[in-house]
Structure formats: structure tokens, C-alpha cells
Amino acid sequence: MSIKNLPDSESMYRSLFQNSSEPILLIKNKKYIACNKVTLKILGLHNAKNIASISPSDISPPTQPCGMTSANKADEMITIAHQKGEHRFEWLHQNSANEFFKVEVSLTVINYNNEVLLHVVWRDISVQTAKEQRLKIAELVFEKTTDAVMVTDNNNIIIDVNPAFTNITGYAKKEAIGNFAGFMKSGSHDNSFYQKMWTSINQEGAWKGQIWDKQKSGVTYPKTLEINTVKNGSDQIENFVALFSDSSERQKYEKRIEKQANFDSLSGFPNRSLLLRLLEQRIQTANVNDRIFSLAFIDIDSFKIINDSKGHAFGDQVITKVMQCINSCIEEGDLLGRMSGDEFLIIFKIEQELAAVEKKIQQIITLSQVAIKIDSNDFSVTLSAGISCFPQDGADVSTLIANADIAMYHTKQNGGKNHTVYNYHLGRKFQDNNELEEELIRAINDQSISPYFQPKLDLSSGKLIGCESLARWQRTNSEYVGPDLFIEIAEKKHRIIELSKSLFLETFRSISDMGLPKDFVTSVNVSVMVLLDDNFQKNFIDYIMQSGLALNQIEIEITESCLIVDFEKVKSTLSSLRRKGIRIAIDDFGTGFASLNYLTQLDVDTIKIDKSFIGQLDNQAKSNRVIVESIISMSHKLGYKVVAEGVETCNQLKILKALNCDFIQGYLISKPLNNFYFKSFMNEFDFTRYYQS
């Protein structure tokens, strides 16, 4: 039944029903039979027919907030209404967009034509519920927050506080209420502080900052305080609300963070960041007063070996003890800190004579060798130091430190355990070295370092049976740089693998293009850094194959020093290459660290006697010949061929031939030649006169 079916005598009721601002419905036998327009609008329906003969649970979620199903609870509410004549309760409905809305439902029993109906009125309580929810949340926050909340009237008399207030201040709620808000003042702030605070509150409606107050126990403490005003509709202040928290822990944390940012965690001394700021301040002070001062850059010699051999924990103890040793030798006004790792900086006080600074540094270096005790054991370390002076060696932080570092580096190059004072010539040399390194990097990138070839002679036949490929680099100023120097730089700059690849490819291509005999063997030098590279073996074989040469036409030369870096890996790599046909030679034999110990464990083909022994053969001393003879004899007994390097005279050749040396190499035969001149030399070579002599 719809409302229009009611008799005309009830037209007034129909009008009220239809035009009411509240949703009105009629229920008969637990089903809706009519509703007004407002109800349709709320439900998102367009026709009253859509609601006829449906139950309240049909326009409700399956379950009500109390946990009962909507169908069961609807039956229960309708039953109560019929029993009491009316019933009021809260209900959660659902519209056509599946949105929930909360209403207060009023059910009233009415009689019509001997039929019992329920008159239904909905009152939207969503806004009220939301307000109540917000109020509950606010009350919960007020009670549970760890920040103290204090509410005062407009005269600044406390009218309420939360539990956190008691926890922080020590005052119970009843002790605080009725008191003036400033009753906890610590006395740490003057009147002007509070005047500025209240000016901000009155003019801007708020203030926030740090303040010191006093707890009930009498202890003063820092707190972060925020005060806001609460105004009425007439824009007059009714209340002040203060929120604050104890800042003690936060200040401790900030101090801890500041310490971590400025002090070395291991030693407790200033770190690099703080040292740079302190040096900048000292420079500014010295500039204002036209004064001088010095600084020293100190480094532990061979610290990496200490760390690797004894562990990082031991290394940390060494650093701590060294810094304590250094600190004991300086005086008030001198600033000591740790730059990084095992590098330390001392900024000496202004107007201290250089001689006094050097005396302190030498005392530090001497003391460190006898005064280090770790785990009840004596442990000596050596230190290297460099000194620079303001303003003559630099007028800014970076230049002063850089020049002290240059001086320290010079000390290390000369054996360490000492100190060096920076001067112009050291700086010039350092700059030259930097320029050399930069030019070398460009040369490697441009592949302008070329292989030169020095022939090897078979003493038994007088034939050239091989050669050694030697790297040659001519700088842009036309000067040649010795391979010992630029190979060392390439290793230090981690560019040796790239350089070696270029030299290998050029060497193999050049030898292949010369069309030399199949038994002609070309030797190439391999750095230990290259040899230990995981990809070396595969790449090296690929380079040979690309050139068209056979593997047995190539020989690898390594120095004895390579063996002590990672002997087992070197041994494995060389054995694998030798099984594939590549020959192995030990270069500069006799100058290494443990020749026989390592040599007997390796699969090698050739021993090359260092030129320092060969150069002494012209000397009549018997001992020189005995050493060479012993190396040749021992090598032959072990099954190795022997090459004598650096042969420069016919007399040396004659002696080596008499000692049954297999091959010779040196300027007597030829200096190293580029591929064009080497090919010509091979075609024109005639050793008859040397061989006959």
C-alpha cells in the first residue's frame, strides 16, 4: 500500500507524511508498505514502489554494530514496539550506493481500519555520532598521550591536566588544578623571556619553544612547550592549552649525535669533519693577528700488513695506543684528531717555532717504537710524518693539509720512521709525478705505449731463438719513461690489466705478421696483479689465438716477487697454462725473497739470471763467477733452460758459454727494437764474429 491509497479524509496526514523533512515509513507485518520522498532520496531510490513489501534488513548491512544480524534484530525491535506501543533505538542502514548511514529509529504503533501499523521515523545521527567519536578520541588522546596537556582559563589558572602531566612534573592532578600556570618556573629565564612569549601568544595566538621548568622534586629539566589560545564566538580568549614534553632524553640524544658527527668513535679524538673546521678557525685567527702556525700529517707505516696479519681488532688497538702516544707528546693548545684509518693530524698552537714542532714530532716517532703495549705485550710501530706551515705552505685548509700529506709521502718513499718538512721542491716533484700519472692514463687510453723486442741468442748454435717483448713509453715531451716506473704507476692506478691487454695484443699481432719460424718463442712480462685476475688465463689464450700464433710460441715471464703474494693461486694458474703449451720463465732470478723454496714447487721452463750478476762477470773476483755458475748448474739439474740477461761484452759471452749457459740477451746482441727495425734485424743478423770470438 502507498500513501495515496489512504482515504481522502486523511488528506492532512498524507500532506504531513509526504512533506515532512524527516524520513517517514509505514510497516505492516514486518514489511514496509509506504514511505515519503525524503526516504527515497536518502536511499537513492526514485519510486516508492521500490520499497513496498521489503523488510528493514533488505536496506541494511547483513550485521548491525551490536553483532546481531539485521534480520534478527529487526524482528526483535518490531516485537518490542508492538509490546510497548513505541520503541526508539539506533540502526545502521545502507543506501543504493552501498554507503552506510546511522539513524535513530522511532517506531510507534497506530491503528487504521482495524489494522495495526508501525509508524517509522528516521533521525540522522551521523554528525552527532561523528562528534561523539571525535570527543572520545580527544578524551583518549588526552588520557593516553605521552605529552603533558595543561588547560587554563583566561586568567591562566589551571582547570585540567592529563596523566602525562603528572608523570613529567611529579604533581598530582588535584595539586595542579587551581594553581597559576607559572607555579613550576625554574628561575632559569628572565622577565624579558616571558614577555616575548606572552606577546607572541596574545598577538599570534600561539608560542612554541624550549623552556626550563622545575619538577615537584626540585629538579630542573628542559621541555619543549607549545601554548595555543582557545577563543569563543566573539573572538575573546576563553582558555589556554599548553602541550609539553620532557626534552632531557632528546637533548642527550642530540649531544650524542653531535659527538658522533664530530668525534672519532674509536679514539674519542676529533674526526676529520671537526678537524677541518678547527683548522679553518685557526687560519682565521692567525690571519687577523698576522701569526704563523704549523700542522703535521702522521701515518702508521705498513698498517695494512698489521691489519691483515693480526686482524682489525688488533689494528684498532694500535690506532688507539698511537693516538694516546701522540697526545702525550703535545701540549695544551695543540689539537690532535684522526683524519681517517691510520692517518692523524696535529694542528699546533699559534706562534710555535718550527724547531719546537719538529722536536715534538721526532719525540712522537721515537716513543711509538717503544711505548706501545697491547694485551700486556710490547708492540712497536713506526710512524711517518709530514709538516706544513701557515702561511708559507698554504693559506687555506686544503692546501695546508695537501702539502703536509706530500711531505709525509716523501718520508714514506725514503723508508719511513721519520718526518719531512714541506718545501717548494717537494711540491714541484709531487706535481711532476701527478702530471706523469695523468699523462700515463691518457697514454693507456690512447694505446700509445708500444712493445719493443729484444732478441735472445742460443749460445750453442749462434741462432736467434726468441725475443722478449718490452713496453716502451715516450712522453709528449719526447722523454722515455722506464717501464719499472710506469708499470708501478699503472698498478697503483689499477690500470695495469688494461695496459697489459693492449701490449699483449700488439705483441702477438706484430710477431705473427713477421712470419718468424714456428719454434721462435716470444716472451711477455706479466704483472702479479694481471696474473691474479680471475679472467687472465682465458683472456690471455684468446689473445694468442686471435693473432694466429700457437700457444707454444709464447712464454710468460714473472718475477720472484709475484710468488709471495698468493703463491697457491699463482702456482695453479701457471701449471694450467703450461699444460696448454705456454712456456713459463722466472725473471730476475736471484733478486727475490725465497728463490729455492718457491722454485722447486713450480712447473717452469726457463730461469733468467738477473743482469746485476752478469754485469759482475768482467770483474776478476772469483765469487761473482761462482754465483752465476751455481745458478746455471742448479737450474740444469732441475731441468730448466737458462737465459743470462744484460749481456754487454764479448768477455761476458765467452764466460757464459764456458759455464754452459743456454741463451743470452742484452745490448751485445741488440737493444730493444720496434717491430719494423726488429724484423729488419732478424733478416740481416749474422753472429759469426761474436760466435767465433
Side-chain angles (χ1 to χ4, degrees):
M1 176 189 301
S2 67
I3 191 68
K4 65 183 180 181
N5 298 124
L6 296 176
D8 292 340
S9 60
E10 300 179 5
S11 60
M12 182 179 293
Y13 177 76
R14 286 199 302 271
S15 176
L16 290 171
F17 183 91
Q18 202 64 263
N19 297 317
S20 172
S21 61
E22 292 184 321
I24 302 176
L25 306 94
L26 293 177
I27 292 178
K28 177 182 177 182
N29 297 330
K30 300 183 180 180
K31 303 282 187 180
Y32 293 120
I33 60 172
C35 70
N36 64 357
K37 294 178 182 178
V38 176
T39 304
L40 293 175
K41 184 176 180 181
I42 290 175
L43 293 174
L45 301 175
H46 301 290
N47 196 315
K49 293 180 180 179
N50 293 327
I51 203 168
S53 300
I54 65 172
S55 64
S57 62
D58 292 328
I59 52 173
S60 306
T63 304
Q64 288 297 305
C66 65
M68 290 181 65
T69 64
S70 292
N72 289 340
K73 186 166 185 177
D75 288 347
E76 181 181 311
M77 297 299 101
I78 289 172
T79 299
I80 293 172
H82 279 297
Q83 290 173 349
K84 295 183 175 182
E86 62 179 9
H87 185 42
R88 183 172 295 177
F89 54 91
E90 292 183 359
W91 190 268
L92 190 65
H93 273 301
Q94 186 175 9
N95 62 23
S96 61
N98 293 321
E99 298 169 340
F100 299 127
F101 60 96
K102 202 168 190 178
V103 295
E104 182 185 70
V105 180
S106 295
L107 299 181
T108 305
V109 178
I110 62 174
N111 290 298
Y112 174 70
N113 288 341
N114 298 322
E115 289 185 311
V116 178
L117 306 178
L118 283 177
H119 181 269
V120 184
V121 178
W122 291 348
R123 185 170 64 85
D124 188 357
I125 59 172
S126 301
V127 175
Q128 178 185 337
T129 302
K131 287 181 179 179
E132 291 174 352
Q133 186 67 23
R134 285 197 297 272
L135 183 59
K136 288 180 181 178
I137 292 172
E139 290 174 351
L140 183 64
V141 170
F142 184 82
E143 292 294 321
K144 300 298 182 181
T145 182
T146 56
D147 287 343
V149 181
M150 180 177 71
V151 183
T152 73
D153 61 17
N154 57 3
N155 293 315
N156 217 19
I157 302 300
I158 300 172
I159 59 176
D160 200 5
V161 295
N162 70 341
F165 176 94
T166 298
N167 294 336
I168 293 174
T169 67
Y171 289 100
K173 187 171 186 174
K174 62 182 180 181
E175 294 176 303
I177 292 177
N179 259 316
F180 179 66
F183 83 102
M184 297 175 290
K185 283 183 180 180
S186 65
S188 302
H189 307 284
D190 57 20
N191 289 333
S192 64
F193 175 86
Y194 292 106
Q195 286 173 358
K196 290 178 182 178
M197 181 178 77
W198 281 105
T199 298
S200 174
I201 294 170
N202 291 324
Q203 292 182 356
E204 301 176 20
W207 179 87
K208 184 175 182 179
Q210 293 287 322
I211 192 170
W212 285 82
D213 267 355
K214 185 180 291 185
Q215 296 172 334
K216 185 178 179 181
S217 64
V219 174
T220 58
Y221 70 102
K223 69 183 186 182
T224 301
L225 173 64
E226 182 176 354
I227 301 175
N228 290 280
T229 58
V230 179
K231 295 183 178 181
N232 59 22
S234 302
D235 201 32
Q236 294 176 323
I237 296 175
E238 287 190 341
N239 301 96
F240 297 101
V241 178
L243 290 86
F244 60 87
S245 59
D246 187 343
S247 302
S248 302
E249 289 303 317
R250 185 168 66 84
Q251 287 193 2
K252 289 179 183 177
Y253 173 76
E254 288 174 350
K255 287 181 180 178
R256 189 164 65 250
I257 293 299
E258 182 182 4
K259 185 175 181 181
Q260 290 174 354
N262 293 296
F263 292 88
D264 175 46
S265 60
L266 177 63
S267 66
F269 286 93
N271 62 13
R272 179 186 180 88
S273 176
L274 179 56
L275 280 170
L276 297 180
R277 294 201 301 275
L278 292 172
L279 180 55
E280 180 64 44
Q281 291 170 10
R282 185 139 297 184
I283 289 173
Q284 291 174 359
T285 303
N287 268 327
V288 169
N289 300 297
D290 196 22
R291 303 290 182 86
I292 63 169
F293 70 90
S294 304
L295 61 85
F297 201 94
I298 303 175
D299 180 271
I300 300 175
D301 296 327
S302 305
F303 183 71
K304 185 178 186 303
I305 295 175
I306 296 173
N307 252 345
D308 292 345
S309 62
K310 293 184 174 291
H312 289 274
F314 187 89
D316 287 346
Q317 291 186 69
V318 170
I319 287 172
T320 302
K321 295 291 185 180
V322 166
M323 294 199 74
Q324 291 171 357
C325 171
I326 296 172
N327 195 49
S328 70
C329 298
I330 60 178
E331 57 187 292
E332 186 177 354
D334 297 334
L335 303 172
L336 167 64
R338 183 182 178 197
M339 289 292 282
S340 65
D342 62 319
E343 296 177 335
F344 318 109
L345 188 73
I346 306 174
I347 307 170
F348 291 97
K349 63 183 181 181
I350 291 175
E351 286 299 307
Q352 191 165 182
E353 294 293 332
L354 179 59
V357 168
E358 288 192 75
K359 184 176 179 181
K360 287 181 181 179
I361 294 299
Q362 201 55 51
Q363 182 184 3
I364 290 168
I365 291 171
T366 302
L367 189 61
S368 69
Q369 298 180 53
V370 295
I372 304 295
K373 275 191 176 294
I374 298 177
D375 299 332
S376 301
N377 296 314
D378 291 331
F379 183 82
S380 64
V381 299
T382 61
L383 304 178
S384 294
I387 300 171
S388 63
C389 303
F390 175 87
Q392 66 194 57
D393 298 330
D396 57 77
V397 169
S398 59
T399 305
L400 272 173
I401 292 178
N403 288 340
D405 192 14
I406 289 170
M408 186 270 292
Y409 181 72
H410 177 79
T411 304
K412 280 190 173 294
Q413 283 187 318
N414 288 276
K417 296 184 284 187
N418 208 336
H419 75 275
T420 303
V421 178
Y422 177 83
N423 59 52
Y424 170 79
H425 299 292
L426 281 181
R428 182 68 258 177
K429 181 180 178 182
F430 184 80
Q431 185 176 346
D432 290 343
N433 287 340
N434 277 343
E435 291 174 358
L436 178 67
E437 290 177 2
E438 291 172 2
E439 190 173 342
L440 175 63
I441 298 303
R442 290 195 296 272
I444 292 173
N445 292 337
D446 298 339
Q447 297 184 0
S448 56
I449 300 176
S450 306
Y452 274 48
F453 305 98
Q454 187 172 39
K456 296 177 186 176
L457 177 76
D458 184 343
L459 286 176
S460 63
S461 66
K463 293 182 179 179
L464 299 178
I465 46 81
C467 67
E468 179 181 0
S469 174
L470 298 163
R472 290 294 181 265
W473 175 38
Q474 186 178 20
R475 296 185 65 181
T476 53
N477 62 6
S478 298
E479 292 180 359
Y480 277 94
V481 181
D484 288 347
L485 176 57
F486 71 74
I487 293 297
E488 180 184 347
I489 296 173
E491 289 179 336
K492 184 178 75 172
K493 294 294 184 180
H494 301 285
R495 301 298 295 273
I496 188 64
I497 293 176
E498 185 180 348
L499 172 59
S500 296
K501 175 184 176 180
S502 173
L503 290 170
F504 292 154
L505 289 171
E506 181 64 19
T507 294
F508 302 154
R509 184 192 63 77
S510 297
I511 294 297
S512 179
D513 289 347
M514 291 180 195
L516 299 170
K518 297 295 184 184
D519 59 353
F520 189 90
V521 177
T522 300
S523 300
V524 291
N525 293 280
V526 179
S527 159
V528 65
M529 289 181 66
V530 175
L531 191 65
L532 292 175
D533 180 63
D534 291 336
N535 298 314
F536 166 68
Q537 184 174 174
K538 178 184 179 301
N539 291 340
F540 189 72
I541 292 173
D542 287 345
Y543 301 153
I544 299 171
M545 302 301 290
Q546 289 173 25
S547 70
L549 295 174
L551 297 183
N552 62 7
Q553 291 178 270
I554 301 300
E555 182 175 62
I556 287 176
E557 291 191 15
I558 63 167
T559 60
E560 288 178 60
S561 58
C562 289
L563 305 178
I564 67 170
V565 178
D566 187 344
F567 179 71
E568 291 303 321
K569 185 170 183 179
V570 169
K571 176 182 175 182
S572 174
T573 301
L574 294 180
S575 296
S576 177
L577 289 168
R578 193 167 185 269
R579 286 194 298 270
K580 291 178 171 61
I582 296 172
R583 298 167 184 259
I584 309 297
I586 304 298
D587 196 12
D588 300 336
F589 186 81
T591 62
F593 298 93
S595 306
L596 294 176
N597 181 36
Y598 288 114
L599 187 61
T600 55
Q601 300 180 56
L602 290 174
D603 293 327
V604 300
D605 298 279
T606 308
I607 298 297
K608 299 188 73 174
I609 305 175
D610 187 70
K611 61 184 178 181
S612 62
F613 297 106
I614 305 303
Q616 297 297 320
L617 287 177
D618 287 329
N619 190 311
Q620 297 301 314
K622 185 178 179 181
S623 59
N624 299 322
R625 178 168 176 156
V626 170
I627 293 172
V628 174
E629 183 177 13
S630 298
I631 295 174
I632 294 172
S633 176
M634 178 199 67
S635 299
H636 284 165
K637 287 178 181 179
L638 291 172
Y640 308 140
K641 296 291 187 180
V642 180
V643 178
E645 295 185 289
V647 178
E648 296 184 356
T649 68
C650 289
N651 187 49
Q652 292 168 2
L653 182 150
K654 183 186 295 185
I655 294 171
L656 289 167
K657 189 173 186 301
L659 295 177
N660 293 319
C661 183
D662 299 293
F663 313 117
I664 64 170
Q665 175 183 342
Y667 273 42
L668 177 65
I669 309 303
S670 172
K671 65 181 181 181
L673 303 167
N674 64 27
N675 58 352
F676 174 78
Y677 287 108
F678 182 72
K679 184 176 181 179
S680 299
F681 175 83
M682 291 292 294
N683 292 332
E684 300 171 1
F685 176 73
D686 179 7
F687 193 67
T688 304
R689 67 181 189 276
Y690 300 105
Y691 186 70
Q692 289 176 343
S693 63

